[in-house]
Amino acid sequence: MNIKLIKYGVMEFAELIKTPRVDGVVLHRPFLPTVEGTLCLTGHHLILSSRQDNTEELWLLHSNIDSIEKRFVGSLGSIIVKCKDLRVIQLDIPGMEECLNISSSVEALSTLDSVSLMYPFFYRPMFEVIEDGWNSFLPEEVFKDLESMTDEWRLSEVNKDFSVCPSYPPLVAVPKDVDDDTLRKVASFRHSGRFPVLSYYHKKNGMVMMRAGQPLTGTNGRRCKEDEKLINATLRPGKRGYIIDTRTINVAQQAKARGGGFESEANYPQWRRIHKTIERANVLQEGLIKLVEACNDQSHSMDRWLSKLEASNWQTHVKEILTTACLAAQCIDREGASVLVHGTEGTDSTLQVTSLAQIILDPACRTIRGFQGLVEREWLQAGHPFQQRCAQSAFSNNKSRQEAPVFLLFLDCVWQILRQFPCSFEFSESFLVLLFEHAYASQFGTFLGNGAAGRAKLSLPEKTVSLWSWVNRPQELERLTNPLYEANSLVIWPSVAPQSLLLWEGVFLRWNRSSKCLDEAYEEMVHIIEYNKELQNKVNSLRRQLAQLETEDPLLQTP
Amino acid sequence: MEHIRLPKVENVKLVDRVSPRRSRVGTLYLTATHSIFVESEAGVRNETWVLHSLVCSVEKQAAAASGCSLLIHCKNFQVLHFVIPRERECHDVHLSLQRLSQPESYVELYCFSYKPNVGEVERRQEWDLLDLKADYSRMGVPNSLWKLSPINRHYKVSDTYPADLFVPESAAPPVIVGSSKFRSRGRFPTLSYYSKDNHAAICRSSQPLSGFSARCLEDEQMLEAILRSNPRSDFMYVVDTRPKLNAIANRAAGKGYENEDNYSNIKFQFIGIENIHVMRNSQQKMLEVCELRSPSMSDFLEGLESSGWLKHIKAVLDAGIFIAKAVAEEAVSVLVHCSDGWDRTAQVCSVACVLLDPYYRTLRGLMVLIERDWVSFGHKFSHRCNHLVGDPPKEVSPIIDQFLECVWQLMEQFPCAFEFNERFLIAIHGHIYSCLYGNFIGNNQRERIELGVRERTHSLWSYLWMNRADFINPLYRPDHSQTQGLLRPSTAPYCFKFWRGLYNHFDRGMHPRQSVEDYLQAIQEETQQLHDQLASHKQVGAALSLLTASHFSPCQPKAPESTNLSNGSDQESGIADLSCRSPLSEDSTRDPDSDEAAYSAA
């Protein structure tokens, strides 16, 4: 990041920045000494640097700011900045006017409406891009893998101009025998045009998982022969499949009044429908707000903590989502049945279930690259509206009702499985934390926009850098690698008992308690493993030397 | 043997509590010491052994079509649910087990008949493994400030105290005796821990018999003497670990707490740890939550909250921190008491020691600490753990469990600071209740001497020490900064976790399927092997290069080198096999608990 860039930002957002620079500002952060220095506002950053040396103490993206509060004691003002990554910092600013100016500028800059003003469109990488992440996980490449396993599927271009389903990518995998006309008809029968598409192919037994939006049966039980034909095409002769509806039967019933609904037994006799109870977006958001409030409660009362933790229902959501994912995985792996997953829109709880089921079933998804591919396929290309969902986090008072920690809950569930199978993942917890941070605020374009059509309009590959370009470099990969990893080709079944599910401290208590001792333990673990490798190398090289000595010396050749 | 009405029942079902579909059928045998369930499926040799002395309750449920249910709760939190085909058989097993699991006298306890393959000389040596006097001299006593007092040699002053006690140098026998008469059960103030670095001490006693106004000059002198034994300090803390209300209530019974006006230079402090009855009920409630069949998250969290268990654990740890800080940071001595000074006092003193002194965070150190603050100072193990049927049920309380849990909570916060692992704590816990070893039999030292525990039983400490390889924390390093000095844990509520490893120990499906600790342990073993190989290779290498240099005679024996080399590669193939060190057997593909959760909902 250079000075030129900062100036560029300043010019672009000059009107919004009432005071670009204040001296004598004191920064308070969790676990770090306070710093006095100069506060600078640029178009995208809030920067504080002490004048003693040139290292910056704070470099905060405006888009990371979730809420901002002002406090005054005499002429000394303070602003409390609450970030989307759940960090809370305080800046003491001398001068009431300066404080007010900074506060209102930051407020304006952190709530910009236009996506194209976001930082990723201004950011130029200062690192060497080894592999352009925008080309790393193209659907046609992924499909090649599928083709090597089965010829029952084809890649359809029916959505190439996003006219059939704006949230789907231009290329989707569908049963080979179903033509594009049929797909168009099915799309008109599914929420937001989200007709059933392939999500996962289980190599072991050829079973598949599909996902879709809810069927638009309405109150009078509308039916769509093409829809039935499409999903039946995925069944083996004489076999039944499972439809996993992530909503309770009541919620699904109520959806009929708004034109939605579910697959009736009469029209889908070859399918068994199971209803689960994953909550809707706004309930999840409420849970996040309550959980973070509980974590920041200063009362030191055990009863209060446990009751607030319980009331947040966060752990309940984790358990429900994992349970549903386990169910989907069981249907596929144990029952040898194909599965269709949907909720209402098919862009939230559906994706939680299909992506977690793949973590359970498919060892490839537990590698660093495989996990990136999973996030690409099942979240970004599958049309999860990141922009809406991650516009605000736990501190927002905004009632727009679009925000929801759907992706964060997915990451939490992955963390739970990682805790239960600490040697089966190539990546460590820090990768999950990194994805959480970047989903909410980032210099990279990866999580911008809502759905495939919206993202395409933003020309992200041309105008922004992909997070994967940053991640897939040796030094970054090394940082994210789990030292305990040993490839495990088995299906991994997590326990969903309440005793087995923990609070994700690495995210929710990250700024509340020092992690020094835990970090030291991690380093110690890495040290033990590295020392072992080092010795192994030494032994091997000595052994080679000995062998060489033996062959070199003819006298030792004959006994 | 006369208590066994039915030695063998066939076609018994052992119900898996978490997922009933995984239940097993087999034969149940009753022996003099164990119930043994042997699975009868062909090709499987799966046995479940349960020690009678670990059985806490046996409950026979109403007969149903499938048979008659027998529910066995154990003191190590194992729960077994048998279904026995015929009611008559179930009745007999029930009666037998009830009698077998409730020994009426000490001699019936398993430790007096337990005969592992150990010679008498070795058996006697087992009891010499730990030496409390050596621990006191490690602390630096006796010295010019503290002396060993022979006053309780014959348990005349306090029959629940140990024979060897350290008191201030200036405390004359009449002062000690006088003070003891003013304290419940004669448990006068005496040394528990002494800090060599700054002379601050942790002393312990029972409550004073102060009632509403009584005084005792000798007791006041005793505290004065303790204060003077810390020359650089001008006051001391007196910590009453009870809630204030409880202490006040005791005054009506002629007991109570120290009046600051009567004792010079004391700072008096209440720390509200609840009594044994509250703790017993709390654990009972928590265990009910642990036993719920597929509970929801809310069931679990609400139950955990309403049990109050973690609140009590926090109270004990908070008290320990208060004392540890007084000693380490203020260099002030502390006198700790509760009512009798053998429950809360033991908890708080020993937690403070773990925080203060890295020695007590080693394997041997923790054993010494339990031996001193719990065993020797008369924590009433037999009563609290209900070793005998005649013991009053109201005396039972999980006080030692709470201490072990405090240590576990600290291990979670300081993963590199403890030499031992969780398994060590669980092993100690199990054997406190199992009665397999003599260490925890009886309620105090005097009773154990009368029972001839040292002469007739084996010592747990020796067993643990022999098997210490299983109990080592791979992350521990004596020179690690985390290992040094005072531990400063956070006691924010969210730092306390539910101890699944103990309370749901036997629900295997709930635990992580891969253990980082086991993995690291295997790596360390391998590293050790590599060290040996490296050394031997270097030797061979040196020999070889000597040979090449001097061109020795061709009949140079080559055999040793080649053995060395092949030996090396043998070991390497062994290392390759270590890939099984991630305990990932077929087992991890077996049913998760989610099976049930998922399917019952389906």
Side-chain angles (χ1 to χ4, degrees), chain B residues 193-330:
Chain B
Y193 178 75
Y194 170 77
S195 166
K196 223 172 5 193
D197 303 336
N198 60 15
H199 305 304
I202 302 175
C203 295
R204 55 185 290 172
S205 69
S206 59
Q207 64 187 339
L209 304 175
S210 51
F212 291 101
S213 60
R215 292 182 64 165
C216 168
L217 191 63
E218 290 92 338
D219 194 59
E220 290 161 25
Q221 286 170 341
M222 188 72 188
L223 263 67
E224 180 75 33
I226 291 173
L227 174 58
R228 276 205 305 274
S229 290
N230 185 1
R232 275 179 290 177
S233 172
D234 49 12
F235 75 97
M236 67 182 282
Y237 286 110
V238 174
V239 171
D240 189 328
T241 55
R242 298 169 293 183
K244 189 172 182 180
L245 216 62
N246 301 22
I248 289 174
N250 263 299
R251 279 163 57 172
K255 300 164 187 174
Y257 52 92
E258 292 81 357
N259 183 340
E260 268 179 299
D261 300 337
N262 300 341
Y263 294 83
S264 47
N265 302 314
I266 67 163
K267 281 193 185 168
F268 185 84
Q269 181 94 29
F270 283 113
I271 292 187
I273 302 176
E274 298 291 346
N275 65 25
I276 57 167
H277 312 295
V278 174
M279 300 307 190
R280 177 179 58 243
N281 294 335
S282 170
Q283 192 189 50
Q284 197 47 49
K285 273 191 189 164
M286 180 183 63
L287 292 175
E288 280 163 21
V289 176
C290 296
E291 272 181 57
L292 288 175
R293 194 175 278 175
S294 49
S296 73
M297 195 46 100
S298 296
D299 294 338
F300 179 73
L301 288 174
E302 270 172 21
L304 189 61
E305 184 205 334
S306 72
S307 79
W309 183 255
L310 288 176
K311 184 169 67 185
H312 300 313
I313 297 293
K314 177 170 152 57
V316 174
L317 192 57
D318 275 326
I321 291 171
F322 176 85
I323 291 158
K325 281 192 171 165
V327 169
E329 291 178 352
E330 298 182 69

Side-chain angles (χ1 to χ4, degrees), chain A residues 500-528:
Chain A
S500 307
L501 302 175
L502 308 170
L503 178 70
W504 189 6
E505 295 177 52
V507 164
F508 297 110
L509 300 178
R510 185 178 177 191
W511 312 104
N512 302 68
R513 53 122 182 83
S514 160
S515 63
K516 183 175 161 275
C517 293
L518 302 180
D519 295 344
E520 283 171 358
Y522 188 82
E523 278 163 29
E524 192 59 40
M525 182 181 89
V526 172
H527 171 78
I528 289 171

Side-chain angles (χ1 to χ4, degrees), chain B residues 118-142:
Chain B
V118 176
E120 178 56 20
V121 180
E122 289 81 27
R123 194 201 60 74
R124 249 178 281 153
Q125 280 168 353
E126 289 179 5
W127 289 99
D128 298 329
L129 178 74
L130 298 187
D131 178 4
L132 287 187
K133 272 198 190 141
D135 184 46
Y136 283 111
S137 59
R138 190 194 62 83
M139 288 184 221
V141 292

Side-chain angles (χ1 to χ4, degrees), chain A residues 528-540:
Chain A
I528 289 171
I529 294 166
E530 275 176 359
Y531 182 58
N532 175 274
K533 279 188 190 142
E534 196 184 300
L535 270 186
Q536 230 155 27
N537 290 338
K538 269 192 196 160
V539 169
N540 288 339

Side-chain angles (χ1 to χ4, degrees), chain B residues 408-538:
Chain B
W408 178 80
Q409 299 281 358
L410 289 171
M411 285 162 67
E412 287 288 292
Q413 285 196 41
F414 302 96
C416 305
F418 292 82
E419 189 191 16
F420 48 84
N421 58 19
E422 180 186 17
R423 264 200 294 270
F424 187 57
L425 299 180
I426 293 171
I428 293 175
H429 178 271
H431 284 301
I432 283 172
Y433 290 89
S434 77
C435 296
L436 200 55
Y437 297 94
N439 306 64
F440 309 103
I441 305 306
N443 292 309
N444 51 56
Q445 204 173 68
R446 188 182 47 83
E447 282 185 21
R448 275 186 296 277
I449 285 179
E450 283 167 12
L451 289 167
V453 158
R454 265 178 173 261
E455 289 73 38
R456 302 167 60 195
T457 72
H458 291 267
S459 168
L460 172 66
W461 305 134
S462 160
Y463 163 80
L464 294 174
W465 187 248
M466 305 282 269
N467 292 283
R468 61 187 176 279
D470 294 342
F471 302 124
I472 293 287
N473 169 16
L475 296 175
Y476 175 77
R477 238 186 7 184
D479 55 346
H480 197 284
S481 63
Q482 225 177 86
T483 316
Q484 315 301 315
L486 175 70
L487 294 185
R488 294 163 210 276
S490 161
T491 58
Y494 48 67
C495 290
F496 291 82
K497 297 173 189 162
F498 168 75
W499 191 4
R500 179 183 60 205
L502 181 65
Y503 304 112
N504 284 109
H505 183 72
F506 292 89
D507 297 307
R508 279 195 50 225
M510 280 184 195
H511 303 283
R513 306 305 162 92
Q514 296 174 327
S515 152
V516 175
E517 196 187 292
D518 291 349
Y519 181 95
L520 291 178
Q521 238 167 30
I523 290 239
Q524 280 185 332
E525 274 166 34
E526 185 191 292
T527 303
Q528 194 49 51
Q529 287 177 19
L530 287 169
H531 261 297
D532 300 346
Q533 282 177 46
L534 204 58
S536 80
H537 283 350
K538 275 184 180 157

